[in-house]
């Protein structure tokens, strides 16, 4: 049983100032600032000036283990998650071996429990080996101890329309969702960056927007046809936003996410040939960034997810063409979101709580206590599990890759000053981060 903690004077997402009493792993009381009934022996956190958010839930994380421990482990990745304010992450399936069986997803689940920094929800592969040839053991993964509800071949597109239809039909039986990496493989053969003016100047093979948009359009129609849920990973173009918006207007069962880096970075950065800016999908144009921000603000895009993708130094410290795609993001996400959306007036903290906690938990069915998976995304209300993130919106800090907890050093924000800083994270009422420092499991009583 965790100790009792009282968080005093925090600003809730709706702007109210309140005290939060956390005990027994749950929020026992939410009272006006200075009015909480503080139990004897309770430990306190002075949260004056801090924003209290429900624990963040990442729908798209690469933890690399098993098989790529040189890039990241569940231990290091979830330490980074705790430092960034996350209390649950969905671990993508492109490990080695691929998470396409009940055995592998249960292994990832157990590694997360052992590490203890946040809840780890394995994502199951849609197809065996991510090869796009035949369906993986979707049912076995769903009924395993990991209770998988999100399936994705992320890094690869489920390009075969019949296979995608079968996957959507299969997951419907247990209310799962297929998270599609929307990338037509034929239209992106050899692609190195966004197709446009910059790619033409640099002479790099371009990655056209239509390669993403065509797959999204197909998939939302397939999902509607079979009555199943589809989720679009890392939307990156204005055209994709319009397709999702039209699909939602028709009541089609589609949700979508965007990454923090696609909300602030553009393809103009590729002029440096710095591989840290090489990512899949690629950085797009300022007009795309503007459209993505507007789509988060109006709810067309449901979720902000990191696509945290750590790589060993040698995979990025090389020439552009040979470099791996991907960026880290767990420890910088909230600062980038504050810069792009909150400080610009596009989104308030209630919106942040919806896009970074409630919506991803809902899409991943992590908010369902019936699954026995420590419900997330239920907000800072009495009786809810005590997953809390405390964020100082007035802080400013400079990103130093060497000081981060992830093994990956491939952050595009190195040397950049970001606003806001996560100062505490509570998982089931116990601090995993306190005063900006990680709290080892043995010290959390």
């Amino acid at each position: 049983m965790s100790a009792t903690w009282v968080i005093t004077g925090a600003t809730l997402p709706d702007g109210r100032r309140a005290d939060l009493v956390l005990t027994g792993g749950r929020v026992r009381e939410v009272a006006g600032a200075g009015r909480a009934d503080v139990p004897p022996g309770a430990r306190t956190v002075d949260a004056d000036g801090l924003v209290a958010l429900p624990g963040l839930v990442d729908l798209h994380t690469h933890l690399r283990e098993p098989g790529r421990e040189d890039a990241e482990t569940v231990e290091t990745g979830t330490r980074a998650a705790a430092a960034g304010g996350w209390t649950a992450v969905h671990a993508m399936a492109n490990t080695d071996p691929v998470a396409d069986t009940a055995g592998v997803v249960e292994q990832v689940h157990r590694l997360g429990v052992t590490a203890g920094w946040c809840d780890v929800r394995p994502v199951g592969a849609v197809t065996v080996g991510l090869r796009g040839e035949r369906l993986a053991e979707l049912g076995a993964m769903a009924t395993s101890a990991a209770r998988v509800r999100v399936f994705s071949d992320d890094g690869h597109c489920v390009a075969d329309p019949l296979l995608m239809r079968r996957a959507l039909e299969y997951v419907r039986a247990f209310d799962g969702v297929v998270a599609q990496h929307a990338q037509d493989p034929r239209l992106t053969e050899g692609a190195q960056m966004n197709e446009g003016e910059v790619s033409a100047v640099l002479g790099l093979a371009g990655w056209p927007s239509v390669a993403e948009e065509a797959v999204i359009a197909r998939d939302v129609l397939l999902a509607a046809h079979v009555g199943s849920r589809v989720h679009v990973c890392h939307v990156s173009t204005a055209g994709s936003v319009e397709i999702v918006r039209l699909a939602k207007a028709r009541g089609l069962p589609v949700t979508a996410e965007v990454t923090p880096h696609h909300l602030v970075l553009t393809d103009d950065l590729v002029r440096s040939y710095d591989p840290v800016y090489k990512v899949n999908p690629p950085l797009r144009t300022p007009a795309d960034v503007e459209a993505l921000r507007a789509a988060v603000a109006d709810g067309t895009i449901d979720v902000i997810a990191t696509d945290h993708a750590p790589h060993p130094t040698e995979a990025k410290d090389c020439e552009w063409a040979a470099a791996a795609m991907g960026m880290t993001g767990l420890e910088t996400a909230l600062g980038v979101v504050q810069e792009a959306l909150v400080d610009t007036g596009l989104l308030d903290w209630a919106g942040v709580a919806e896009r970074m906690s409630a919506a991803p938990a809902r899409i991943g069915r992590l908010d369902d206590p019936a699954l026995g998976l420590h419900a997330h995304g239920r907000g800072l209300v009495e009786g809810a599990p005590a997953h809390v993130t405390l964020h100082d919106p007035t802080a400013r800090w400079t990103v130093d890759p060497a000081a981060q907890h992830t093994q990956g050093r491939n952050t595009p924000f190195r040397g950049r000053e970001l606003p806001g800083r996560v100062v505490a994270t509570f998982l089931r009422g116990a601090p995993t981060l306190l005063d900006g420092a990680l709290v080892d499991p043995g010290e959390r009583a």
Side-chain angles (χ1 to χ4, degrees), residues 82-104:
W86 307 91
T87 54
V89 299
H90 289 74
M92 280 295 170
N94 58 342
T95 51
D96 185 13
V98 170
D100 57 6
T101 66
V104 177

Side-chain angles (χ1 to χ4, degrees), residues 44-173:
T44 62
V45 176
D46 181 359
D48 183 30
L50 305 182
V51 175
L53 297 167
L56 306 183
V57 177
D58 194 10
L59 200 55
H60 194 145
T61 306
H62 295 274
L63 294 178
R64 304 303 193 197
E65 191 176 7
R68 290 306 310 272
E69 291 81 358
D70 58 326
E72 190 80 287
T73 67
V74 171
E75 169 73 21
T76 59
T78 53
R79 286 170 66 93
W86 307 91
T87 54
V89 299
H90 289 74
M92 280 295 170
N94 58 342
T95 51
D96 185 13
V98 170
D100 57 6
T101 66
V104 177
V105 295
E106 287 185 342
Q107 178 187 5
V108 174
H109 175 67
R110 286 195 300 271
L111 287 167
V113 172
T114 300
W117 292 100
C118 69
D119 288 330
V120 175
R121 301 285 300 113
V123 173
V126 177
T127 68
V128 175
L130 309 177
R131 290 191 290 272
E133 298 170 349
R134 59 189 175 92
L135 292 182
E137 299 174 0
L138 307 184
M141 289 188 277
T143 57
S144 72
R147 299 289 193 273
V148 175
R149 289 296 180 272
V150 182
F151 297 86
S152 180
D153 276 4
D154 185 58
H156 302 269
C157 181
V158 182
D160 183 330
L162 181 58
L163 204 59
M164 185 64 177
R165 171 179 176 165
R166 298 296 181 232
L168 290 165
E169 290 172 333
Y170 207 110
V171 303
R172 184 181 56 192

